Amino acid sequence: MRVNSPEPFAPRPLPAAPAHVVRDDAEAIEIAKRLAVAFAHGASERDREGWLPLDELDAYSQSGLWGITVPKAYGGAEVSYATLAEVIRIIAAADSSIAQITQNHIALVAHIAFDATDAQKRELFGLVLKGYRFGNAFSERDSRNVAAFETRVVEQGDHVVVNGKKFYTTGALLAHIVPIVAVNDEGKVFLVFADRDAPGLTVVNDWTSFGQRVTASGTVLVENVRVPKSRVVRIDAFDNQTAAGPISQIIQSAIDAGIAKGALDETIAFIRSKSRPWIDSGKEQATEDPFVIATIGTIALKLHAAEALLERAGRKIDAALRTPNEETVAEATLTTAESKVLTTEIAVEATNRLFELAGTRSTLAEHNLDRHWRNARVHTLHDPVRWKPFHIGNYVLNGVNPPRHAWS
């Protein structure tokens, strides 16, 4: 199925059978490694041809990995966020578009844990464990800033009615439920969990970015969509001491780390099999070129540092979930910000250096290696990493805690 159609995209079928329920952290990583092998096959072709990963996404959600952060009290494995980051990193190294489609679903599972009533948790977590995928109708293309929502929700008896237009809706096209962020007349923010086939909900696959091409992050039109009040969750996680922000951010960081790893792996494979040594090196093989060797070593070093900080950020999030207070949430937020700085830098550097090290022939269209740079360049724009050192420095120097929102 190709992307970039101006026509509404029909909803995907509901899961025909319940998803596998992952037992623990070790099984989650084992499943991710197995899926990554399958997802790597065809990743280049999907990017080149614009084919949506329909079968791959079904395999992904049915594997149980979309439910690994569901709390144990509600039947999930409640894995460490260090484990979650590793799972996303592994998938992203194989196909970063597939990894990104997961992002909003995982963040929404966290918001259910933070903000929903017990009855809502039982229903929504139950659906997640059955293999239902949550999409995303969060951002708006033409609003004043990313947090200025113009989509409106109005109460009508036992239901609410929502109207608006969303963009950057990663995951919505292939979701079973599309949570819509909307505000009421008092400016309060809500998550409205609408069925993907709800009347008035239209998803258009008009995503035309040069990177992350098959994330289907296009438009959702919301026209008088009626949803029962039982599916409406008031968002107040950012008004309290919660790890909602760093949870959203660590997934982004893990995707960038995965892009860097995938690019480094392809660089090494290309140098070993196709690249020639430079004439001045006096070497027979490109793998013997001292400058190539040293640069590969530098990239690997930076990647390992980024991966270590990614794991540390996950542990800090775990600590903030166990003992939520101003200090633990600030530490989780700042460590995740540090992680995102390093993963952004190495994703861009590794995907750029690929061509310098592999040589001119690596730019040929037949190899499609530019997809790594395109994916890194686009995904790292999710939120401006230039703000991260400011918040880190303001905390270290002045004791000022970072802001609490989905981009921090």
Side-chain angles (χ1 to χ4, degrees):
M1 181 67 69
R2 287 184 180 274
V3 300
N4 303 335
S5 168
E7 300 299 321
F9 194 90
R12 296 291 294 157
L14 297 178
H20 172 70
V21 177
V22 176
R23 299 185 305 272
D24 52 32
D25 296 58
E27 187 187 12
I29 292 175
E30 177 187 346
I31 292 172
K33 289 179 178 178
R34 172 171 51 81
L35 287 176
V37 173
F39 294 168
H41 277 301
S44 176
E45 187 176 16
R46 286 190 295 272
D47 171 87
R48 180 189 290 113
E49 302 298 331
W51 291 334
L52 293 171
L54 303 182
D55 294 338
E56 291 79 8
L57 206 63
D58 285 343
Y60 191 8
S61 55
Q62 284 297 109
S63 76
L65 290 182
W66 289 48
I68 57 176
T69 56
V70 171
K72 291 180 180 178
Y74 294 90
E78 196 175 346
V79 303
S80 162
Y81 272 89
T83 296
L84 173 72
E86 178 65 1
V87 164
I88 299 298
R89 187 196 68 80
I90 290 168
I91 298 297
D95 189 324
S96 57
S97 284
I98 292 176
Q100 190 184 346
I101 293 173
T102 331
Q103 193 273 330
N104 293 293
H105 173 97
I106 297 295
L108 286 159
V109 169
H111 271 289
I112 294 167
F114 290 134
D115 296 328
T117 65
D118 182 67
Q120 289 173 324
K121 290 176 184 178
R122 293 189 183 282
E123 178 188 3
L124 296 172
F125 286 151
L127 292 175
V128 170
L129 293 176
K130 288 179 180 178
Y132 280 61
R133 297 190 294 261
F134 295 148
N136 156 42
F138 190 99
S139 296
E140 298 174 7
R141 191 174 189 172
D142 301 319
S143 58
R144 180 172 50 86
N145 60 49
V146 293
F149 301 115
E150 297 177 0
T151 300
R152 292 292 182 265
V153 56
V154 177
E155 292 188 22
Q156 285 191 2
D158 294 333
H159 289 70
V160 298
V161 177
V162 192
N163 282 278
K165 183 177 181 180
K166 301 289 189 175
F167 197 65
Y168 307 112
T169 58
T170 306
L173 195 79
L174 307 178
H176 304 116
I177 295 175
V178 180
I180 306 164
V181 174
V183 296
N184 66 6
D185 290 339
E186 298 174 0
K188 294 180 180 178
V189 184
F190 296 87
L191 271 171
V192 183
F193 287 79
D195 289 335
R196 172 65 174 81
D197 60 357
L201 182 67
T202 305
V203 185
V204 181
N205 194 13
D206 55 354
W207 178 242
T208 60
S209 174
F210 62 72
Q212 295 297 91
R213 293 188 61 219
V214 292
T215 58
S217 303
T219 298
V220 170
L221 303 173
V222 185
E223 301 169 306
N224 294 317
V225 174
R226 287 176 56 84
V227 178
K229 283 185 178 178
S230 61
R231 288 277 191 91
V232 179
V233 176
R234 165 84 166 97
I235 300 179
D236 58 11
F238 300 116
D239 298 325
N240 302 309
Q241 298 293 344
T242 74
I247 285 173
S248 178
Q249 286 284 291
I250 198 172
I251 304 166
Q252 307 290 359
S253 187
I255 293 169
D256 294 334
I259 292 173
K261 179 63 165 60
L264 178 58
D265 288 347
E266 290 236 43
T267 304
I268 292 169
F270 201 97
I271 292 170
R272 286 174 174 171
S273 63
K274 297 181 178 65
S275 297
R276 298 181 297 180
W278 183 239
I279 187 172
D280 294 335
S281 71
K283 303 297 183 182
E284 293 296 321
Q285 304 292 331
T287 54
E288 299 173 322
D289 186 315
F291 292 107
V292 170
I293 293 171
T295 304
I296 288 290
T298 298
I299 293 171
L301 184 156
K302 292 180 178 179
L303 177 57
H304 294 159
E307 290 170 343
L309 199 47
L310 180 67
E311 180 181 2
R312 184 169 183 263
R315 302 297 178 196
K316 291 292 185 180
I317 291 172
D318 293 337
L321 292 172
R322 287 193 301 270
T323 312
N325 57 48
E326 188 171 342
E327 180 181 356
T328 59
V329 170
E331 286 186 358
T333 303
L334 291 163
T335 307
T336 306
E338 292 171 355
S339 165
K340 197 161 188 301
V341 170
L342 292 196
T343 57
T344 293
E345 290 177 352
I346 191 57
V348 173
E349 180 175 357
T351 56
N352 186 44
R353 290 280 199 169
L354 186 162
F355 305 103
E356 174 188 336
L357 297 173
T360 305
R361 65 182 65 184
S362 67
T363 67
L364 297 178
E366 65 194 74
H367 303 305
N368 195 30
L369 293 176
D370 60 296
R371 75 184 188 279
H372 296 294
W373 182 87
R374 289 186 283 103
N375 290 339
R377 186 61 283 173
V378 169
H379 187 264
T380 55
L381 298 176
H382 179 271
D383 52 272
V385 77
R386 64 183 178 271
W387 273 89
K388 307 299 184 188
F390 169 80
H391 292 310
I392 295 165
N394 209 19
Y395 178 82
V396 173
L397 182 63
N398 299 316
V400 177
N401 285 341
R404 291 200 300 272
H405 52 59
W407 306 274
S408 178

